[in-house]
Amino acid sequence: DLDWGFLRRRAQQLSEKALENRRQAEEKQRLQNGKESEALDLDQGSQAISAVEHAMEHLQEYQAEDRKAKTAQAALARLRRQQQANNDEDDAWTLTTPSEPDRDELRECIKTSIPVTDKRTTSSTIITKWITQLMKECHVHNWRELANVPDAAVLANKLGVPGENVQAWIDHAQDESLGEIMVEVCDGDVDAAERLTVQARSGTPKDLAAWISIPDLLL
């Protein structure tokens, strides 16, 4: 006779084993899916980071090109005004400091080093105030005039701004002015000014003056 009790126990054991195998298989599949999902997330994250880095690189290039274009335009405009003011072709070329007001130039210099101010006052408001003071009280209308300020401490006292911040403004103004002046020296030829700066390591009028005895080497 069949031992029905044994068969029932055997069937139950097999059923339990089948359920355990199924549970293990599902767990394995779940872990596998998790790893694949994690790998996918990592890959997507890596792609996103690469995309952001690529965009930042192009943004920096764009900003550099935009700065170069603005500098060239400002230098050319000032050069034309200087040429119009000097109609005598026999007069020697002279470098003149423009006095036209340019709030954007002053704002760019100030933004390089903004001191801590009253939290109730927004930075844009205080910057506008300083620009107005520079123009009306200090007779500084653009970054070319700011670059010529001989004593940062005097300007700092008039504005009520720490001297180190004002010095940073002047330093930035001098950096920007050098590019403009080199373009003016090159009669508005931006490419020539860039080649002198990059290839001939002569980014200032003083550097350029060192070639006075051997100008042919620059050709």
Side-chain angles (χ1 to χ4, degrees):
D1 293 335
L2 293 174
D3 186 349
W4 294 105
F6 169 78
L7 291 176
R8 289 190 187 95
R9 289 192 301 274
R10 180 62 176 165
Q12 184 178 1
Q13 291 172 351
L14 291 174
S15 177
E16 291 175 352
K17 185 173 181 62
L19 289 173
E20 177 62 20
N21 289 340
R22 179 180 177 183
R23 187 192 66 78
Q24 292 179 358
E26 290 176 348
E27 178 68 15
K28 182 178 180 181
Q29 185 62 39
R30 186 183 67 80
L31 292 174
Q32 181 65 29
N33 291 340
K35 291 179 179 179
E36 292 177 355
S37 177
E38 182 179 356
L40 180 60
D41 290 342
L42 289 174
D43 183 59
Q44 291 176 339
S46 177
Q47 291 178 2
I49 292 173
S50 298
V52 171
E53 291 176 344
H54 183 69
M56 289 301 295
E57 290 176 359
H58 282 276
L59 176 61
Q60 293 174 354
E61 292 175 0
Y62 170 78
Q63 290 175 335
E65 289 297 320
D66 184 58
R67 179 182 295 276
K68 175 184 173 183
K70 287 175 62 179
T71 298
Q73 290 171 0
L76 286 173
R78 286 167 176 165
L79 180 62
R80 292 192 185 100
R81 287 193 292 270
Q82 179 182 340
Q83 291 173 339
Q84 290 173 358
N86 183 14
N87 295 321
D88 189 349
E89 296 182 357
D90 294 332
D91 286 348
W93 182 90
T94 58
L95 178 67
T96 58
T97 300
S99 58
E100 298 90 351
D102 194 319
R103 302 182 72 89
D104 290 336
E105 289 185 353
L106 294 177
R107 181 175 289 104
E108 181 176 330
C109 295
I110 292 172
K111 282 186 175 181
T112 61
S113 182
I114 302 177
V116 178
T117 58
D118 188 343
K119 293 183 179 179
R120 293 173 296 180
T121 305
T122 63
S123 59
S124 60
T125 300
I126 194 65
I127 289 174
T128 299
K129 175 187 174 184
W130 288 329
I131 291 173
T132 301
Q133 284 183 279
L134 282 169
M135 288 184 170
K136 293 185 176 180
E137 300 175 17
C138 307
H139 307 293
V140 174
H141 304 94
N142 51 60
W143 60 31
R144 290 282 288 273
E145 290 186 337
L146 181 58
N148 288 340
V149 172
D151 191 344
V154 174
L155 197 60
N157 289 334
K158 289 183 178 180
L159 299 176
V161 177
E164 58 268 22
N165 295 105
V166 174
Q167 186 60 56
W169 303 352
I170 295 173
D171 291 342
H172 183 77
Q174 290 175 346
D175 289 340
E176 294 296 337
S177 297
L178 273 177
E180 280 192 9
I181 291 170
M182 285 299 293
V183 172
E184 291 180 20
V185 170
C186 295
D187 291 330
D189 191 332
V190 180
D191 291 334
E194 184 178 11
R195 287 195 296 271
L196 283 170
T197 301
V198 177
Q199 298 177 15
R201 306 294 183 185
S202 300
T204 70
K206 182 178 179 180
D207 295 333
L208 189 58
W211 296 88
I212 191 170
S213 62
I214 48 173
D216 293 344
L217 294 180
L218 290 174
L219 301 177

